[in-house]
Amino acid sequence: MTDPKLPLEPLTREWLSAIGEDPDREGLQRTPQRVAKAWAYMTEGYGQTLAQVVGEGVFAAEGSEMVIVKDIEFYSMCEHHMLPFYGRAHVAYIPNSRILGLSKFARIVDLYSRRLQVQERITTQVADAVEELLAPKGVAVLMEGIHLCMAMRGVQKQNSSTTTSAMRGLFRSDPRTRAEFMSAVQGTLRSR
């Protein structure tokens, strides 16, 4: 995690003043510290590497059946407006002699989402990371997100969502493999 004692505290005080608030009023006195701490957490992906979050989570395996980890919650900050977007990621792969500990998929999603981001890039980064770690026969990543930059400003469409996907290997070249993955995650898409 980055150091929350960065210059975010004085910058937050300036920001509060710039929008017409009094940073010294009772409810805001500790806000600069809280903001610095929150942003350190929300951007901790900058201070981590793929190797660190995966550790010793790659294992030899003989199977070659599809593995799907569904409904991985993610939270990120839009790099265009610095407003939150959040949702769920679904990651699948077809092993090729190596597998990844299941919890590591959530850690990989967090690694890339805890940065200023766009959903399209996170989707690609997660797929690339799984491909790099495992050299599988195929990787599929599907992400569905709600973007507050669309919901609370601009077009103000609270019920819209954005779906992005990245398909590699058999998920790209074999329509049956892709269809099996999409069928497995279909019930979870925008159902909650």
Side-chain angles (χ1 to χ4, degrees):
M1 180 159 30
T2 55
D3 184 358
K5 294 181 180 114
L6 296 173
L8 289 178
E9 288 184 37
L11 289 173
T12 302
R13 286 185 59 79
E14 288 179 39
W15 192 348
L16 289 168
S17 293
I19 64 169
E21 266 294 353
D22 175 8
D24 292 318
R25 79 171 168 84
E26 184 180 0
L28 296 176
Q29 288 173 356
R30 296 193 60 227
T31 295
Q33 296 157 314
R34 289 189 292 263
V35 167
K37 188 174 180 180
W39 273 91
Y41 176 76
M42 292 184 300
T43 59
E44 71 182 358
Y46 288 118
Q48 299 173 323
T49 67
L50 182 59
Q52 288 171 327
V53 299
V54 170
E56 297 178 10
V58 177
F59 306 98
E62 56 282 339
S64 63
E65 299 300 319
M66 186 183 303
V67 177
I68 305 172
V69 182
K70 299 191 300 186
D71 294 323
I72 302 168
E73 295 175 4
F74 74 89
Y75 300 89
S76 193
M77 300 297 283
C78 165
E79 69 182 30
H80 301 137
H81 302 100
M82 293 176 59
L83 289 172
F85 66 98
Y86 62 94
R88 289 173 295 160
H90 313 286
V91 182
Y93 73 104
I94 300 172
N96 186 21
S97 77
R98 292 185 289 185
I99 60 172
L100 186 62
L102 297 177
S103 69
K104 304 307 181 185
F105 290 98
R107 293 185 188 283
I108 292 169
V109 170
D110 285 348
L111 170 68
Y112 296 113
S113 63
R114 289 186 182 154
R115 302 173 180 188
L116 293 180
Q117 275 286 20
V118 294
Q119 183 175 322
E120 298 88 338
R121 186 182 309 121
I122 299 171
T123 306
T124 299
Q125 288 173 325
V126 171
D128 291 346
V130 174
E131 198 166 47
E132 175 187 328
L133 290 166
L134 303 177
K137 295 176 184 174
V139 177
V141 177
L142 186 79
M143 297 183 78
E144 184 178 39
I146 306 295
H147 294 250
L148 294 188
C149 56
M150 256 186 93
M152 63 187 290
R153 56 154 303 281
V155 295
Q156 298 180 20
K157 301 300 179 201
Q158 289 80 21
N159 294 311
S160 66
S161 66
T162 300
T163 302
T164 52
S165 67
M167 305 289 168
R168 308 279 193 272
L170 288 176
F171 290 97
R172 180 180 285 278
S173 64
D174 183 352
R176 293 170 302 164
T177 303
R178 186 170 48 256
E180 180 182 345
F181 167 67
M182 294 303 288
S183 176
V185 301
Q186 190 61 43
T188 65
L189 295 177
R190 196 74 167 141
S191 63
R192 292 181 208 157

